Amino acid sequence: MAYSIKKWDLSELFPGFNSPELQAAFDNVEEQVTSFEGLRDKLKADIEVEHFLEAMRASEATSRIVNKVYAFAELSFAADTQDQNAQSLVGRVQQFVAEMQNRVLFFDLWWKAVDEQNAERLMKASGDYRYYLEEMRHFKPHTLSEPEEKVVNLKDVTGPNALINLYDAITNRYVFKVKVNGTVQELTRAQLQPFIQGPDPVLRARAYQELYRVYAADGPILGQMYQTRARDWHNENINLRKFSSALSVRNLANDVPDEAVNTLMEVTKKNSKIFHRYFKMKAKHVGVKKLRRYDIYAPVAKSDKPFKYDEAAKMVLESFAAFDPKIGQLAQRVFDQNHLDSEIRKGKQGGAFCASITPEMTPYVLLNYTGRARDVATMAHELGHAIHTMLASHHNTFTFHSSLPLAETASTFGEMMLTEKLLSEEKDEAVRRDILFKQMDDAFATVLRQIYFALFEREAHEMVQKNASTDELSAAYMKNLQEQFGDSVELSDEFKWEWVSIPHIYHTPFYVYAYAFGQLLVFSLYKQFKAEGDSFKPKYLKILSAGGSEAPAKILAQAGIDIRSEKFWQGGFDVLDGLVSELEKLPVDAKPAAKAKAASSAKGKKSKTVKAKVKRKAAKKR
Ligand SMILES: [Zn+2]
């Protein structure tokens, strides 16, 4: 079978924007909600188990349809952010879902208010719904009255949600102009990426500079959008809901103790020197005294050979199957059912993500495939996400999707399986070297970089409360970068605009630490895999198949991992430290891929960042 670059087929969700099926789904949800409203007067703390479970099943049935409608809107919009049908459907769905949520809100509020003893009785009998119910009760201290919750829901549609849609619509239509071989090319952000990570030092700088020229031109607007997002976060979560900090809102949603996240952030800061050492060493391999920020993803060998899509798909599938045939088969399903959009198109959302909709439906994956080694890694990454939820498909609609901190486990592990395969087959020393360096580049992008984003978010949210201007936020971002890189990299001024180009901090505040969480966890799991061999596999598959049916700390504790301990996180960094030491032993190639000649003196230019691994949950709103 040959694989080719395609647009995905959303018809399994709905045949089209104007289809009777789509309208029927809206009607169906409305009917179900009307019938659910009949429960209002019957809810008592001493409700019979059977009646309670009936309500849960009814609620799940409605969620499944809502998830599908939501996914159809969001995925159509991602496929073409300039499509007016998609834009208006997103608006319609958000409005509709908010109204429906408001009508059934009484159930959640009742459930949170049930006394401990009865709650325990009902949860005990709830089987796979138990964790979902337990988690809901965590929010009890932060829950408002029914009329207040309703207003929040409605104002979210035209407030933060609308703001984020606008941010996407504005930034996804940016066109970047880069002069290549004397001709000016007009590129999307995805098409700019190969230059940013490419072998030509002049083009790298030019691509970064153009990227931030465009973002800076809208800097004041994008900055204002961010300020609004942060203010809204504060108004709702701290002023009204009484969370102790902007970050702990995310932590509770992730069901991870504040203490574990703080430890993760502190241990990461302490280990930034591993990356400084790495960048200094990499400079020698790139053939310069000191790396510019433009050069940190530069290939160290002339090996950026393009991968044909068919070849890439086969490599990824084979590497998965080599770990476990079942995993290979699951990933195969995403291709077979045409749930993968790999094509590059104007207006299509940049980056990559995987959307899991209902337990029994094969997830949808979006990529922007340009044929570089990194795109192959991204394919493995997103298919890893797909496998994760497919392995958890025996759970219900509320619990099959893992919470964020574990959400990056299978994806990151998938990338490592791919790397393993590439290394085992590659004979060319230069290419092998490039693969090893890329592993470190990726570790930087997923761990250090993401934690520093989270540190910036924490600071920025506080600054916005003190009425900081966009320029002041940019200055704070620059300081954050200086601390992140130390003296290992030369930073140019335009990087101060990088933060307005990071969709995550707009979409899902504090999402980013989950990447570091997942990557460090996977390093430690991978180390176990190497030590234990086949006997490790059931343990790993058990973590994945738990999905979101249990607290992350509990799922991991069963595999012997304590996320509160500094030692655990340090273990992940020790793997990286070992990798850098290995790289330090490699002889420096006399003829690096392309010398970054004009390297060390690039003032007043621009640049941008990297891993646009945007993962959007299709249908979950908390
Ligand atoms: Zn991911």
Side-chain angles (χ1 to χ4, degrees):
M1 165 167 184
Y3 300 92
S4 53
I5 292 190
K6 276 186 194 161
K7 187 178 175 177
W8 56 30
D9 176 8
L10 297 180
S11 65
E12 194 185 330
L13 289 164
F14 293 100
F17 293 115
N18 298 313
S19 63
E21 288 87 344
L22 183 58
Q23 185 53 48
F26 279 103
D27 296 344
N28 210 343
V29 169
E30 198 150 6
E31 279 159 29
Q32 292 187 10
V33 164
T34 305
S35 128
F36 197 86
E37 284 176 310
L39 280 173
R40 191 187 262 271
D41 299 329
K42 294 182 194 135
L43 294 174
K44 307 265 148 48
D46 61 357
I47 186 172
E48 275 174 47
V49 164
E50 206 28 61
H51 292 154
F52 178 71
L53 289 182
E54 249 168 58
M56 286 305 296
R57 285 191 283 262
S59 162
E60 188 193 355
T62 312
S63 288
R64 295 163 100 81
I65 312 177
V66 168
N67 283 8
K68 282 176 71 179
V69 174
Y70 221 119
F72 183 66
E74 292 269 343
L75 297 181
S76 303
F77 180 68
D80 183 1
T81 59
Q82 311 301 308
D83 181 339
Q84 297 198 17
N85 283 317
Q87 286 170 351
S88 71
L89 183 62
V90 169
R92 177 183 173 192
V93 170
Q94 286 179 348
Q95 173 83 34
F96 176 76
V97 170
E99 284 169 13
M100 293 303 121
Q101 272 175 345
N102 276 352
R103 287 171 57 185
V104 298
L105 197 59
F106 66 90
F107 184 81
D108 289 16
L109 296 176
W110 167 78
W111 169 246
K112 285 183 213 172
V114 168
D115 63 277
E116 226 28 72
Q117 210 181 348
N118 273 308
E120 206 35 65
R121 173 180 66 88
L122 294 168
M123 284 194 287
K124 236 174 139 181
S126 294
D128 200 42
Y129 291 127
R130 193 199 52 80
Y131 177 60
Y132 171 72
L133 291 166
E134 181 189 310
E135 220 195 352
M136 223 193 292
R137 284 173 66 84
H138 293 168
F139 287 84
K140 186 175 172 175
H142 308 292
T143 299
L144 310 174
S145 70
E146 187 171 351
E148 287 170 323
E149 290 287 354
K150 284 183 171 174
V151 172
V152 170
N153 273 342
L154 281 182
K155 298 307 269 183
D156 274 355
V157 174
T158 45
N161 294 354
L163 187 75
I164 291 160
N165 289 344
L166 282 175
Y167 173 84
D168 286 347
I170 291 174
T171 55
N172 280 306
R173 69 173 200 171
Y174 285 159
V175 174
F176 304 95
K177 294 176 188 163
V178 180
K179 202 174 195 179
V180 186
N181 299 327
T183 347
V184 176
Q185 297 192 8
E186 296 202 343
L187 307 167
T188 65
R189 186 166 174 177
Q191 290 167 325
L192 200 60
Q193 216 59 9
F195 296 109
I196 278 172
Q197 296 161 340
D200 184 333
V202 176
L203 279 180
R204 278 200 298 270
R206 216 178 267 166
Y208 266 121
Q209 288 158 14
E210 171 65 2
L211 176 70
Y212 292 129
R213 182 191 67 75
V214 172
Y215 273 92
D218 277 348
I221 295 171
L222 301 176
Q224 201 179 3
M225 292 174 114
Y226 184 77
Q227 290 164 339
T228 309
R229 180 73 168 120
R231 271 189 202 283
D232 180 77
W233 191 260
H234 190 96
N235 286 345
E236 177 179 336
N237 293 306
I238 297 186
N239 294 351
L240 298 175
R241 299 192 185 278
K242 311 291 178 206
F243 277 93
S244 59
S245 74
L247 173 60
S248 61
V249 183
R250 175 68 51 216
N251 296 346
L252 190 67
N254 287 347
D255 198 7
V256 172
D258 286 348
E259 167 199 358
V261 176
N262 291 339
T263 307
L264 163 64
M265 289 177 37
E266 285 314 310
V267 174
T268 304
K269 272 210 255 183
K270 229 189 275 173
N271 282 281
S272 60
K273 55 186 188 298
I274 297 176
F275 293 94
H276 301 167
R277 211 174 100 213
Y278 169 67
F279 289 132
K280 286 177 182 171
M281 182 258 299
K282 183 170 175 176
K284 292 182 204 149
H285 288 263
V286 175
V288 296
K289 263 217 177 97
K290 188 176 186 177
L291 290 183
R292 304 168 300 172
R293 171 63 185 76
Y294 309 131
D295 303 320
I296 63 175
Y297 302 109
V300 296
K302 202 182 273 168
S303 74
D304 221 15
K305 61 169 182 192
F307 289 88
K308 287 209 182 83
Y309 186 73
D310 176 58
E311 191 189 341
K314 283 177 178 151
M315 259 181 341
V316 170
L317 291 171
E318 278 165 22
S319 71
F320 285 9
F323 181 83
D324 187 317
K326 188 177 164 200
I327 291 196
Q329 286 156 14
L330 291 175
Q332 175 86 45
R333 240 163 69 189
V334 180
F335 289 94
D336 289 351
Q337 299 185 11
N338 206 6
H339 278 208
L340 203 162
D341 193 329
S342 46
E343 199 177 60
I344 296 201
R345 298 183 300 271
K346 227 177 231 174
K348 174 174 162 180
Q349 188 173 315
F353 66 77
C354 170
S356 299
I357 298 151
T358 60
E360 62 283 341
M361 185 178 282
T362 301
Y364 278 90
V365 169
L366 179 139
L367 304 173
N368 280 277
Y369 191 80
T370 62
R372 298 159 313 136
R374 232 170 263 277
D375 294 322
V376 189
T378 302
M379 186 193 288
H381 181 100
E382 300 306 335
L383 288 171
H385 280 304
I387 287 162
H388 197 165
T389 46
M390 288 158 103
L391 282 171
S393 65
H394 53 291
H395 293 294
N396 66 67
T397 308
F398 301 132
T399 61
F400 80 111
H401 204 298
S402 81
S403 77
L404 291 186
L406 288 186
E408 296 298 336
T409 314
S411 53
T412 316
F413 205 87
E415 284 188 68
M416 294 193 75
M417 292 193 286
L418 176 73
T419 303
E420 182 106 324
K421 179 174 164 65
L422 290 175
L423 282 173
S424 73
E425 288 171 4
E426 189 57 63
K427 299 278 172 321
D428 185 331
E429 267 314 308
V431 178
R432 290 178 59 84
R433 174 186 310 216
D434 195 41
I435 293 171
L436 289 168
F437 272 86
K438 278 208 176 99
Q439 224 180 348
M440 243 346 259
D441 292 348
D442 283 346
F444 159 74
T446 353
V447 180
L448 192 70
R449 179 173 161 74
Q450 305 298 333
I451 289 298
Y452 272 86
F453 281 151
L455 290 166
F456 170 71
E457 285 186 274
R458 196 162 70 177
E459 191 185 356
H461 276 254
E462 281 166 18
M463 287 174 70
V464 169
Q465 282 311 304
K466 294 177 188 144
N467 309 306
S469 67
T470 297
D471 282 346
E472 283 164 341
L473 289 168
S474 289
Y477 186 71
M478 206 57 186
K479 264 180 70 189
N480 170 291
L481 287 178
Q482 279 152 3
E483 193 189 320
Q484 181 179 165
F485 290 106
D487 64 349
S488 65
V489 165
E490 187 168 326
L491 274 170
S492 31
D493 192 49
E494 70 274 9
F495 281 90
K496 69 182 180 203
W497 287 112
E498 182 174 33
W499 62 283
V500 300
S501 79
I502 307 300
H504 301 71
I505 69 173
Y506 288 80
H507 282 233
T508 320
F510 303 102
Y511 179 102
V512 292
Y513 76 71
Y515 286 126
F517 193 114
Q519 176 84 70
L520 292 169
L521 168 65
V522 164
F523 281 139
S524 114
L525 290 174
Y526 213 76
K527 208 165 103 183
Q528 283 186 38
F529 171 42
K530 291 286 113 183
E532 296 167 17
D534 281 351
S535 68
F536 163 84
K537 291 178 182 175
K539 193 156 74 178
Y540 174 66
L541 294 175
K542 197 175 161 201
I543 292 176
L544 299 189
S545 57
S549 64
E550 195 42 276
K554 258 191 210 163
I555 293 174
L556 293 174
Q558 286 170 2
I561 290 164
D562 175 9
I563 59 170
R564 285 187 181 80
S565 97
E566 207 178 310
K567 214 175 122 211
F568 163 67
W569 298 112
Q570 187 55 47
F573 285 105
D574 292 346
V575 173
L576 288 173
D577 189 65
L579 189 59
V580 175
S581 299
E582 282 304 307
L583 290 172
E584 280 170 342
K585 286 184 207 149
L586 294 175
V588 175
D589 194 334
K591 282 185 291 170
K595 289 205 172 199
K597 279 187 202 119
S600 290
S601 61
K603 279 208 178 137
K605 304 209 187 133
K606 305 214 139 194
S607 146
K608 177 259 173 223
T609 186
V610 173
K611 234 173 174 172
K613 279 155 141 196
V614 176
K615 195 197 127 227
R616 205 136 77 153
K617 289 222 241 168
K620 205 166 167 186
K621 188 194 159 269
R622 205 182 291 278

